[in-house]
Amino acid sequence: QVQLQQWGAGLLKPSETLSLTCAVYGGPFSGHYWSWIRQPPGKGLEWIGGILHRGNTNYDPSLKSRVTISVDTSKKQFSLRLSSVTAADTAVYYCARGVVRSYEMLSGRYYFDSWGQGTLVTVSS
Amino acid sequence: EIVLTQSPGTLSLSPGERATLSCRASQGVTSSYLAWYQQKRGQAPRLLIYGTSTRATGIPDRFSGSGSGTDFTLTISRLEPEDFAVYYCQQYGSSLALTFGGGTKVEIK
């Protein structure tokens, strides 16, 4: 049973860089897209992006210029950096495991079968 | 990007009743790559259905998914008290942008 545990700073000022990390316990690290999803207070889910174990990434086009997702396979961890944050980036951020069909590993098409506990990130001056 | 519109926004039902939730896509979803999630207050979402109609591990058979193209449905055959929550659909047919619907809240009538 895979478990995802995430951590990072919960309060940022405008223009700072958001940084979160997620550790994966149990289950294989390879063959999955390790992903970040956020949820503004009282609103729906927004996909941010994901990274395959070997480093291939795909990002939401609206965030792509500010987002970097990286992976450390030796530690079974992956991280999110979101630069130049504003109040609009205030949200609960989730890490999640993306499931992709083995025969289309590089497709970037996946759903999410395991989630972290979520981290509330507030951007305020 | 593919926009998913979920309806109704809120569904008020009693335990034991049938719930039918709709998810409509702005364009066809490739290979029926559509998933459904349940989210309870203060919790992370939980995967219910993937590939339009395949139940995830441990999901009871009162949950079923159907549809194709642009119209998809999640049906809960008989609502249990623990089923009152918010439900989201997600398409993963386009790798350019994976998108979620706005959610349907199933509340106790």
Side-chain angles (χ1 to χ4, degrees):
Chain A
Q1 180 77 3
V2 65
Q3 291 189 343
L4 282 68
Q5 185 169 353
Q6 59 184 99
W7 65 90
L11 181 60
L12 296 173
K13 290 181 167 54
S15 80
E16 291 185 333
T17 296
L18 179 156
S19 181
L20 298 173
T21 298
C22 185
V24 179
Y25 301 99
F29 194 72
S30 62
H32 295 286
Y33 276 86
W34 301 101
S35 308
W36 293 95
I37 295 144
R38 69 181 183 179
Q39 186 171 35
K43 296 188 178 180
L45 302 166
E46 302 174 357
W47 172 70
I48 298 170
I51 187 166
L52 198 54
H53 64 281
R54 53 176 136 177
N56 306 74
T57 56
N58 61 338
Y59 300 127
D60 183 273
S62 68
L63 296 171
K64 190 173 183 177
S65 63
R66 297 194 292 131
V67 172
T68 301
I69 297 177
S70 58
V71 66
D72 185 337
T73 54
S74 65
K75 294 183 178 179
K76 295 181 71 173
Q77 294 178 2
F78 60 105
S79 298
L80 169 70
R81 289 177 60 86
L82 179 66
S83 63
S84 305
V85 297
T86 69
D89 295 311
T90 294
V92 175
Y93 286 74
Y94 293 101
C95 60
R97 184 174 77 170
V99 179
V100 63
R101 295 189 178 185
S102 58
Y103 56 82
E104 52 178 24
M105 189 66 64
L106 301 181
S107 68
R109 306 195 295 182
Y110 46 92
Y111 58 91
F112 309 100
D113 72 339
S114 297
W115 297 66
Q117 78 275 20
T119 300
L120 174 61
V121 177
T122 302
V123 181
S124 175
S125 55
Chain B
E1 79 177 29
I2 297 176
V3 176
L4 299 179
T5 302
Q6 291 189 240
S7 61
T10 302
L11 199 51
S12 298
L13 295 168
S14 301
E17 290 194 294
R18 182 185 188 90
T20 302
L21 287 66
S22 172
C23 176
R24 179 161 291 177
S26 59
Q27 55 188 279
V29 177
T30 304
S31 303
S32 295
Y33 278 2
L34 190 106
W36 289 92
Y37 302 85
Q38 176 193 69
Q39 186 178 35
K40 297 180 181 178
R41 184 181 296 275
Q43 296 184 15
R46 176 176 72 144
L47 175 68
L48 298 175
I49 301 281
Y50 62 93
T52 297
S53 60
T54 302
R55 279 187 299 277
T57 302
I59 302 303
D61 60 8
R62 64 180 181 272
F63 291 92
S64 63
S66 62
S68 65
T70 59
D71 290 303
F72 299 86
T73 301
L74 175 70
T75 302
I76 311 171
S77 58
R78 288 179 56 85
L79 282 165
E80 297 288 341
E82 62 269 26
D83 298 337
F84 291 92
V86 180
Y87 292 83
Y88 294 95
C89 56
Q90 177 232 335
Q91 68 78 24
Y92 52 105
S94 169
S95 62
L96 296 178
L98 308 183
T99 52
F100 291 88
T104 291
K105 181 180 181 180
V106 179
E107 65 176 21
I108 299 177
K109 186 174 182 180

